[in-house]
Amino acid sequence: MTDTPALRTALAYFEAWTGHDLDGAMTYVAEDIVCDAPAGRLEGAEAYRAFMAPFVRILTGSRLIAAFGDEDTAVIMYDTETVPVKSAPGAECLTVVDGRIVRSRFVFDRVPFEAARRA
Amino acid sequence: MTDTPALRTALAYFEAWTGHDLDGAMTYVAEDIVCDAPAGRLEGAEAYRAFMAPFVRILTGSRLIAAFGDEDTAVIMYDTETVPVKSAPGAECLTVVDGRIVRSRFVFDRVPFEAARRA
């Protein structure tokens, strides 16, 4: 794993939210973040926080699978354990400017969460 | 993007399957590949091919978003366009030994595909 500015920010953000410190995680998120998530595009830090908060609340564990980055882009893949879903892997591609995430592409499978909601 | 052995293999594999050359892609996949995909674990090249084939058939376009790697691990994130789903991003974390993918973690959202199937 090469230490780069974008990767440092991505890992600090990841460690914060997986540690249930959403306030801490948001210090790495730009006010004008644009995030393409499975349910659609999120624009702005407030929308991003509203997206992450319910997930952080049900999070019971996490494990980093891979993390790579260069000067301005980082990709992380991880597994998470949540109350309703025991293994919920995700991947994020993050564009970082001046230590803040300005662009995110967030990939995970919503099917197990929808199944848990229906159950 | 740093050129590493694992990344070279990952990109050759990606270029093959996104070019509808599944035979070519499978030359980069180990006989004993273990792949954790959204629907569960796939074991062996035959199971992996059976998983990829229907997707390659409906694929109409693709775009690499990010690709990173080191000696033995690569992560790729991409967007795909398919007949039923216009934007279906995915991420793969690939472990490569001697030019073959032996371990894969495959993340994508099944919801739009299930919705298209029901429609």
Side-chain angles (χ1 to χ4, degrees), chain A residues 11-34:
Chain A
L11 290 175
Y13 149 83
F14 174 75
E15 278 157 31
W17 75 257
T18 57
H20 295 92
D21 177 13
L22 187 52
D23 288 338
M26 291 306 297
T27 66
Y28 302 103
V29 173
E31 268 307 312
D32 59 350
I33 185 174
V34 174

Side-chain angles (χ1 to χ4, degrees), chain A:
Chain A
M1 199 186 292
T2 316
D3 185 30
T4 74
L7 186 55
R8 265 198 300 279
T9 299
L11 290 175
Y13 149 83
F14 174 75
E15 278 157 31
W17 75 257
T18 57
H20 295 92
D21 177 13
L22 187 52
D23 288 338
M26 291 306 297
T27 66
Y28 302 103
V29 173
E31 268 307 312
D32 59 350
I33 185 174
V34 174
C35 173
D36 287 320
R41 177 162 286 193
L42 303 162
E43 294 185 313
E46 198 175 326
Y48 189 79
R49 191 191 173 97
F51 160 68
M52 288 297 284
F55 186 70
V56 168
R57 272 198 296 275
I58 60 171
L59 186 72
T60 53
S62 64
R63 190 176 63 80
L64 193 63
I65 293 170
F68 290 99
D70 58 20
E71 198 63 28
D72 56 10
T73 305
V75 175
I76 55 175
M77 185 182 282
Y78 45 81
D79 200 6
T80 63
E81 183 183 313
T82 68
V83 174
V85 180
K86 287 308 156 200
S87 173
E92 300 177 47
C93 178
L94 305 170
T95 306
V96 176
V97 174
D98 295 335
R100 300 284 185 111
I101 300 162
V102 297
R103 183 80 177 85
S104 159
R105 290 161 186 281
F106 211 123
V107 181
F108 65 95
D109 182 25
R110 286 176 294 169
V111 161
F113 292 98
E114 297 203 344
R117 238 188 323 263
R118 278 194 304 268

Side-chain angles (χ1 to χ4, degrees), chain A residues 77, chain B residues 6 9-11 13-14 33 48 70 72-76 92-96 101-106:
Chain A
M77 185 182 282
Chain B
T9 299
L11 290 176
Y13 149 83
F14 174 75
I33 185 174
Y48 189 79
D70 58 19
D72 57 9
T73 306
V75 175
I76 54 176
E92 300 177 46
C93 178
L94 305 170
T95 307
V96 177
I101 299 161
V102 297
R103 184 81 177 85
S104 159
R105 290 160 185 282
F106 211 123

